[in-house]
Amino acid sequence: MTGSAWTLAMIAVFVGAVVHGSVGFGINLVAAPILVVLNPSFIPGPLVLIAGVMVVMVLTSERASVDRGAVGWLSLGLVPGSVAGAVALGGLSRSGLELVVALGVLAAVVLTAVHPRIPRTRATLTTAGAVSGFASATAALAGPPVAILYQGESPSVLRGTLSGVFVVGTPITLVTLACFGRFGLADLRLALILIPCTVAGFGTSLVVSQFVDRYVSRVAVLIVSAAGCMIVLLKAML
């Protein structure tokens, strides 16, 4: 990669980290479309690790606001959802799965924009976790299914709870990638180069998040989720 390409990659990760730290998710959605063009090797392993570093920092910052009971039920659904996504990838077209998942999540975004109140029960939490795991494995859309469920909550609870779920999910993803030969030392080196930009973006988000209230948080969740779906749809159709 050229110097200008590395600069663009660093900017993409920095901006993604600012969005993620302010809303609770989004570094993958913001950075992935640019990184994959600059160097396809950034996806999925290095970006998964970069996002993992991000969620640990956010979780450390928002640990007092985590909905701990909900994280357990969300994580309970996350594992079978991830496995189902991996199995689906083995037998179906990836672009077809991306199309179906993105359309499904986009439909959920539209519905919750009209009817924002979704009761958080054990059933809805476990289902959201399963959908998140499946969407992560097939279309890198792990954040929206859980964020939609928490869109009416305080920004700190949203950020903390999402990070709690992703801290569980990231190691599962990395181990799975390593088992299939999709994460190794070369991927680790790529991630390490961009992790300082992630840390800088997180630091900036601590300032930005002070201006994020419940209304702004809800609007941001819907916009970032819809934008992520549109990116995946475009990728699947090209």
Side-chain angles (χ1 to χ4, degrees):
M1 286 174 59
T2 63
S4 58
W6 275 113
T7 300
L8 187 55
M10 291 175 182
I11 292 172
V13 170
F14 172 81
V15 173
V18 173
V19 172
H20 190 127
S22 303
V23 180
F25 71 108
I27 189 168
N28 285 352
L29 302 181
V30 173
I34 296 173
L35 294 180
V36 74
V37 172
L38 296 174
N39 184 352
S41 297
F42 278 121
I43 313 298
L47 186 55
V48 169
L49 179 56
I50 289 168
V53 171
M54 185 69 202
V55 299
V56 168
M57 291 189 293
V58 176
L59 181 61
T60 301
S61 175
E62 302 287 3
R63 61 187 178 279
S65 301
V66 177
D67 186 350
R68 289 175 172 77
V71 168
W73 290 104
L74 287 163
S75 300
L76 184 64
L78 190 66
V79 176
S82 300
V83 172
V87 172
L89 280 175
L92 300 172
S93 161
R94 186 181 187 97
S95 60
L97 280 170
E98 288 177 338
L99 193 62
V100 171
V101 171
L103 285 173
V105 175
L106 189 59
V109 170
V110 173
L111 287 173
T112 53
V114 180
H115 301 288
R117 286 294 178 182
I118 301 176
R120 290 197 299 274
T121 63
R122 292 177 178 179
T124 57
L125 287 166
T126 305
T127 300
V131 174
S132 176
F134 188 89
S136 176
T138 56
L141 284 171
V146 181
I148 288 171
L149 198 61
Y150 274 83
Q151 63 176 297
E153 258 308 343
S154 69
S156 59
V157 170
L158 174 63
R159 291 190 293 263
T161 304
L162 282 172
S163 297
V165 176
F166 296 152
V167 161
V168 174
T170 299
I172 294 172
T173 302
L174 288 174
V175 169
T176 302
L177 290 173
C179 289
F180 284 90
R182 298 295 304 277
F183 186 80
L185 289 177
D187 300 297
L188 178 61
R189 283 193 290 268
L190 282 176
L192 288 175
I193 294 172
L194 294 178
I195 282 176
C197 304
T198 311
V199 176
F202 169 71
T204 303
S205 76
L206 294 177
V207 178
V208 175
S209 62
Q210 296 178 22
F211 301 96
V212 178
D213 57 18
R214 286 177 185 263
Y215 174 76
V216 172
S217 177
R218 177 173 183 265
V219 172
V221 164
L222 295 175
I223 290 175
V224 175
S225 297
C229 291
M230 295 306 297
I231 290 169
V232 172
L233 284 172
L234 289 173
K235 177 176 174 289
M237 291 186 293
L238 292 177

